[in-house]
Amino acid sequence: SFVSKYFGNPVHQELYERGNKQKTNAKEDGYVKFQFIEKDKKEEQNAAYAELVIETIKNCQANGYSAKDICILTRSRIDGINLGVSLMEADIMVISSETLLLQNSSKVQLLVSALSATINFDNPEIKVQLLSLLYDRFSISEEKYLFLKRILNYSETKFTQELLEYNIHLSINELKSLSLYESCEYFIRNFNLEEDADAYIVGFLDVVYDFEKQKGVDKLGFLEYWESKRERASIAVSEGINAVQIMTIHKSKGLEFPIVIFPFADVDIYKDRGTKVWYPLEEPIEKFDEAHISYNQSLADFGETGAMMHSEFRETLELDNINILYVTLTRAVDQLYVFSEMPKAPKDLPGNFNQLFMLFLQSVDKWQNDQFIFEFGTFKKYDSKKPSKEANVVISKFISTSKENHTLKIASREASLWNTDREKALYLGDLTHNTLQHIKKVEDIERILENEKNRGNTSPENLEIVSGSINAIVNHKDLNHLFTSDDIIYVEKDIITAKGKMLRPDRLNVHKDNSVTVVDYKTGNPTEKHENQINEYAAALLEMGFSIASKLIVYTQEEKIVINKV
């Protein structure tokens, strides 16, 4: 109600004046504390706020409150992060959306860095990051700079051998034949993360598992996915955990807490974060009727229109920030602590929260220029009538076993192929097929194979075999013209038939005369089923008005290529 008279817009004034004429409830007691600090440098201010918050938390705990009864509200996310670090250094357990982010865990950082190194081994920045994390993880006694400088430019084989001297098992070559999830478990075992694996590692593996369930994914794709996900991916925490909560004011809407602490309470009411506005031009410039300009004080000097736009935007900022203040000061049930920089008397209207506090304290005859603490109500010890329910936190050991050490026996026809030449042939056939779906022209081969190498999904030996098969197909006398022509080419393109059936031929070459060559890649021996499938593709194309030039089934059989013309 006191603040309402400072609004520039009469509608906003009435909203706050009339909207706050509420009946008081029957609850008694309660405590509010304003405390101001005098520090010139930002670093000193941050340290002073952290000290006040820590002191307040410990005092509340000493008087019967639990850590989970306390919530710290901040205007900006970065203030919450910095404060969380200070609290954890003071051995105060903290929960916040930022401190619970998976990316903040050094163990998760190590897993991501190791994954990056397996597919970007030639990138020195990635290797430096990995070696630095390994240095800290294994407490290597050698000087860090010398350790990094010596190992940084080693080849993959030498790199692996050198790390073994420190009992670090990391074979880049071996990892290329492991799946994404298997690679993560490999790192967990070989970096000794099993013993102290925590919720961050489990949460990260959940992200990996969910990603790997998608079709056609790989390690490079995961790293791109992680880059977009890491700012939001966090661990789930039980509400029963006894820890101080830190959250931004926006996230606290609709919530309440026994104790609320509001540090950094010197928000500039009229500060804008780079907002731009569209300013109408009296004379269009190159057909543009409006200019996109930054909102600032100079906008008021752009004639009547600029002055009106500046005033409207200022009133919007004013309402938004006072609403934020309202939310902050109405979250507490028992106690409210507000910590702010010592204000300077406003020359005209108050420009920030601490000036509003000062003017309010003056209005109730409490303000003294040499006083830093102002209190309302009486601080009382916590008298709980309900037993406290706290979750039992049990940290269980993470169990990871390499597939070579599994003692499982699976009875299935497919299992009989494991670790056989037949299984390898099927694997290489699938890999060849998946690679060919990205190759339209001869000139695509080198780029696609290089991408496959960078993805780190297979060993160099397997990739060499696949490269040989692809080059044999592309350079085959009966196929080469399909990869060098000016045809319109579709690979793995869906066709919906008149009856609604979905078909997906491997390759279609549409020639200039509107005829089509249909190509299907297969592994193994020719079957009638393969012919029926390619004939179905051809029938669908005929329905669409195309004629069929030829139908080719290309079989990759070990080191030779067999072509069936149907």
Side-chain angles (χ1 to χ4, degrees), residues 393-437:
V393 181
V394 178
I395 300 176
S396 57
K397 181 181 176 182
F398 184 89
I399 299 174
S400 174
T401 309
S402 64
K403 61 183 181 182
E404 291 78 15
N405 295 329
H406 286 165
T407 56
L408 300 175
K409 293 184 178 179
I410 302 176
S412 72
R413 183 164 45 180
E414 288 80 4
S416 65
L417 295 174
W418 291 357
N419 298 319
T420 64
D421 291 340
R422 175 65 177 151
E423 183 206 17
K424 184 176 181 181
L426 289 171
Y427 169 74
L428 290 173
D430 288 341
L431 186 58
T432 301
H433 183 284
N434 292 337
T435 307
L436 278 167
Q437 72 181 13

Side-chain angles (χ1 to χ4, degrees), residues 97 100-103 203 207 226 229-235:
S97 57
L100 296 180
L101 286 177
L102 300 179
Q103 68 166 343
V207 174
W226 174 249
K229 179 85 173 176
R230 63 190 182 91
E231 292 290 342
R232 302 184 302 278
S234 60
I235 60 176

Side-chain angles (χ1 to χ4, degrees), residues 236-404:
V237 177
S238 165
E239 291 183 1
I241 297 295
N242 188 24
V244 174
Q245 295 183 69
I246 299 179
M247 66 177 65
T248 58
I249 298 166
H250 281 292
K251 291 185 178 180
S252 72
K253 291 178 180 177
L255 303 177
E256 62 178 28
F257 313 90
I259 296 174
V260 168
I261 303 174
F262 179 33
F264 309 100
D266 40 28
V267 175
D268 188 332
I269 298 171
Y270 302 106
K271 184 177 181 180
D272 173 62
R273 300 180 180 182
T275 299
K276 289 183 176 291
V277 295
W278 288 101
Y279 183 82
L281 299 172
E282 293 182 4
E283 297 181 8
I285 301 175
E286 296 183 1
K287 298 183 180 180
F288 286 97
D289 296 325
E290 296 178 315
H292 205 209
I293 62 176
S294 298
Y295 164 81
N296 51 43
Q297 183 60 43
S298 62
L299 180 62
D301 300 327
F302 282 48
E304 291 183 11
T305 301
M308 182 181 67
M309 292 177 68
H310 179 270
S311 177
E312 288 177 353
F313 194 80
R314 180 181 171 87
E315 289 170 2
T316 301
L317 282 175
E318 192 175 63
L319 181 63
D320 288 346
N321 282 311
I322 298 302
N323 283 342
I324 285 171
L325 180 60
Y326 179 88
V327 169
T328 309
L329 302 184
T330 53
R331 299 306 95 201
V333 176
D334 294 349
Q335 299 180 22
L336 171 66
Y337 296 84
V338 180
F339 302 139
S340 180
E341 185 182 357
M342 179 61 78
K344 296 177 181 178
K347 295 179 181 178
D348 187 13
L349 296 173
N352 46 43
F353 286 179
N354 49 357
Q355 289 181 338
L356 284 175
F357 301 149
M358 182 185 75
L359 292 173
F360 172 73
L361 291 167
Q362 287 176 349
S363 73
V364 293
D365 296 324
K366 278 186 172 286
W367 180 259
Q368 298 292 331
N369 288 329
D370 56 351
Q371 187 174 328
F372 292 88
I373 297 176
F374 302 88
E375 298 171 286
F376 295 82
T378 305
F379 180 91
K380 289 187 177 181
K381 289 188 175 184
Y382 182 62
D383 182 19
S384 176
K385 296 179 181 179
K386 296 180 180 179
S388 176
K389 293 181 180 179
E390 293 183 9
N392 257 344
V393 181
V394 178
I395 300 176
S396 57
K397 181 181 176 182
F398 184 89
I399 299 174
S400 174
T401 309
S402 64
K403 61 183 181 182
E404 291 78 15

Side-chain angles (χ1 to χ4, degrees), residues 31 37 45 80 95 101 139 159 169 210 220 337 364 368 370 408 476 491 530 537:
Y31 176 73
I37 63 170
Q45 287 183 4
I95 292 178
L101 286 177
S139 303
F159 186 84
H169 298 265
D210 289 340
L220 183 61
Y337 296 84
V364 293
Q368 298 292 331
D370 56 351
L408 300 175
H476 193 283
V491 290
H530 297 161
Y537 297 155

Side-chain angles (χ1 to χ4, degrees), residues 10 52 80 119 130 140 144 148 240 264 273 316 393 398 415 458 480:
L52 281 175
I119 58 178
L130 173 60
I140 295 172
K144 193 171 190 177
L148 295 175
F264 309 100
R273 300 180 180 182
T316 301
V393 181
F398 184 89
T458 190
N480 183 254

Side-chain angles (χ1 to χ4, degrees), residues 2 66 70 123 184 215 220 236 275 280 313 363 376 459 465 531:
F2 171 80
S66 298
I70 303 169
N123 187 315
C184 290
K215 185 179 178 181
L220 183 61
T275 299
F313 194 80
S363 73
F376 295 82
S459 66
I465 295 171
E531 291 189 17

